[in-house]
Amino acid sequence: MRRDYDLPTTLPLFVLPGAVLMPRTRLPLNIFEPRYLQMVEDALKTPERLIGMIQPLDESGDVLAEIGSAGRIVGFSEQDDGRYLISLGQVSRFRLNEAEQGFHPYPLGQVDWAGFELDGGDEEQDPDWHRDNFLALMRRYMDRHDLSTDWEAADDAEAELLVNSLAMALPLEVQDKQALLETPTLPERRALLEGLLEYELRQSENDEVIQ
């Protein structure tokens, strides 16, 4: 996403397990908790309209991942029951230096953007990506989990869109999603995702044999 503003050193943090925002993707969110409703209203008053998505690494939510991803509110609607439906357009990943509660009902993070310059550039390419093999693996995984998708759109999607969208949408463990977010490049992320799907499929097959 092209931007005409400087990235801030402080971000409001949306702490949510299983929700990651990959480079050049969009993430729809249903906002209903009072503290996050306030966060959205505050973010909309700023020129950047940024929210930092970050995963907790324990059940208490006190231990946050070192790497998160910031998104700009690119669309929102207010519902009759007070909820917000928003869409975040990814701007850049960030390194979380420190999180603090302060006077807001939501946490604020002191962040560093260095090392994620690729996020603001053009779409990444993956010269080693084999579409047919990847789609076959994807079909096996989704069949195993009774998941559905728009296969016509998947067949036409570029590698980056497909890999990043799957990394966000598939029901992977928090640690796996975090590892995918932290991989520096698309080829590395694609290779990791393939490994995770193959490992999970082998585990499922072994469980069936044991039973």
Side-chain angles (χ1 to χ4, degrees), residues 35-54:
R35 57 177 173 161
Y36 291 130
L37 290 171
Q38 183 64 54
M39 182 181 67
V40 170
E41 292 178 359
D42 291 346
L44 288 171
K45 295 174 184 174
T46 68
E48 305 87 5
R49 305 202 305 266
L50 293 179
I51 289 175
M53 298 299 301
I54 197 156

Side-chain angles (χ1 to χ4, degrees), residues 28-112:
L29 290 169
N30 176 15
I31 309 294
F32 56 86
E33 285 189 49
R35 57 177 173 161
Y36 291 130
L37 290 171
Q38 183 64 54
M39 182 181 67
V40 170
E41 292 178 359
D42 291 346
L44 288 171
K45 295 174 184 174
T46 68
E48 305 87 5
R49 305 202 305 266
L50 293 179
I51 289 175
M53 298 299 301
I54 197 156
Q55 292 198 107
L57 297 183
D58 68 349
E59 293 185 358
S60 72
D62 293 334
V63 180
L64 301 181
E66 292 184 0
I67 305 296
S69 189
R72 176 180 172 87
I73 299 175
V74 293
F76 79 99
S77 63
E78 185 173 11
Q79 306 302 295
D80 291 340
D81 58 7
R83 290 177 298 123
Y84 282 128
L85 302 180
I86 69 171
S87 178
L88 292 182
Q90 200 263 1
V91 172
S92 175
R93 287 168 287 177
F94 60 84
R95 185 174 301 278
L96 179 65
N97 292 331
E98 184 179 6
E100 57 186 19
Q101 198 63 44
F103 296 104
H104 298 81
Y106 49 83
L108 296 176
Q110 300 296 323
V111 302
D112 184 353

Side-chain angles (χ1 to χ4, degrees), residues 64-171:
L64 301 181
E66 292 184 0
I67 305 296
S69 189
R72 176 180 172 87
I73 299 175
V74 293
F76 79 99
S77 63
E78 185 173 11
Q79 306 302 295
D80 291 340
D81 58 7
R83 290 177 298 123
Y84 282 128
L85 302 180
I86 69 171
S87 178
L88 292 182
Q90 200 263 1
V91 172
S92 175
R93 287 168 287 177
F94 60 84
R95 185 174 301 278
L96 179 65
N97 292 331
E98 184 179 6
E100 57 186 19
Q101 198 63 44
F103 296 104
H104 298 81
Y106 49 83
L108 296 176
Q110 300 296 323
V111 302
D112 184 353
W113 306 94
F116 303 109
E117 290 78 10
L118 284 177
D119 289 11
D122 295 331
E123 179 179 297
E124 283 189 85
Q125 304 299 316
D126 182 357
D128 295 325
W129 184 54
H130 298 285
R131 175 185 294 273
D132 291 344
N133 293 345
F134 187 87
L135 288 174
L137 176 62
M138 179 178 159
R139 285 181 183 277
R140 287 175 55 210
Y141 179 90
M142 300 194 82
D143 287 345
R144 171 71 63 177
H145 292 277
D146 294 324
L147 300 173
S148 61
T149 191
D150 182 345
W151 287 108
E152 185 174 344
D155 287 340
D156 294 336
E158 295 296 329
E160 183 182 72
L161 176 61
L162 193 56
V163 170
N164 286 349
S165 297
L166 288 171
M168 293 169 60
L170 293 181

Side-chain angles (χ1 to χ4, degrees), residues 6-18:
D6 293 330
L7 293 174
T9 57
T10 301
L11 273 180
L13 297 177
F14 194 150
V15 181
L16 189 61

Side-chain angles (χ1 to χ4, degrees), residues 178-197:
Q178 188 63 33
L180 289 163
L181 178 67
E182 294 183 9
T183 53
T185 67
L186 175 63
E188 293 171 286
R189 188 173 307 117
R190 185 263 309 155
L192 176 58
L193 180 59
E194 288 178 338
L196 290 170
L197 299 188

